[in-house]
Amino acid sequence: MQNPYTEKPLLWIRSSHKDLLTFPEEVIDTIGHALGLAQNGEKFHDAKPLKGLGSGVLEVIEDHNTDTYRAIYTVQFEKAVYVLHCFQKKSKSGISTPKQEIELIKKRLKEAEADYKERYDDQ
């Protein structure tokens, strides 16, 4: 575990924070715990790499009642954790992440890369 004084900042891309806050409280607590661990260089036991995006992009899936919620974040940067997307999975077919969600995540990952470069390249 990292020194608590060197906890990485948590940065939100687009509406990811606002979207997370619409989730049930229990789901917010679980995802918040996962993100807190990531900020300290640890991995939540249920966090899994999101297929097709590399090992540094992780997904937390949380079921509540009959609904499924997902949070996608990246730990690929040395100095920050970026939350890319939070959404309720609506698709009734299969467990895979819908293609339009994957495309949105890829776009937001590029935004996170640009933001990271702007914030930290001169440090």
Side-chain angles (χ1 to χ4, degrees):
M1 182 163 84
Q2 285 184 346
N3 178 328
Y5 299 108
T6 60
E7 180 178 85
K8 293 179 182 181
L10 188 62
L11 303 171
W12 303 84
I13 298 295
R14 303 255 173 196
S15 64
S16 56
H17 188 242
K18 182 180 71 143
D19 296 337
L20 174 65
L21 295 178
T22 67
F23 293 0
E25 192 172 323
E26 296 86 356
V27 175
I28 292 171
D29 289 348
T30 300
I31 292 171
H33 177 66
L35 294 173
L37 288 172
Q39 287 180 274
N40 286 291
E42 299 179 59
K43 183 175 169 273
F44 182 62
H45 62 89
D46 280 342
K48 295 181 255 175
L50 186 61
K51 289 181 179 137
L53 291 175
S55 61
V57 178
L58 301 172
E59 174 179 48
V60 174
I61 301 171
E62 185 68 16
D63 292 322
H64 180 74
N65 293 334
T66 59
D67 297 317
T68 299
Y69 299 87
R70 296 181 180 208
I72 315 299
Y73 60 97
T74 184
V75 295
Q76 70 184 31
F77 304 110
E78 182 183 348
K79 297 179 182 176
V81 173
Y82 281 84
V83 182
L84 304 173
H85 190 32
C86 297
F87 64 102
Q88 179 180 350
K89 185 170 181 293
K90 304 267 189 204
S91 173
K92 303 296 182 219
S93 59
I95 60 169
S96 64
T97 305
K99 184 176 179 173
Q100 70 269 18
E101 302 291 353
I102 293 292
E103 291 306 314
L104 179 64
I105 292 162
K106 286 179 180 177
K107 183 178 174 188
R108 289 184 176 184
L109 181 58
K110 286 183 177 161
E111 289 181 40
E113 289 167 352
D115 182 80
Y116 186 82
K117 214 171 229 189
E118 187 176 308
R119 283 178 194 262
Y120 297 105
D121 264 6
D122 293 335
Q123 293 184 5

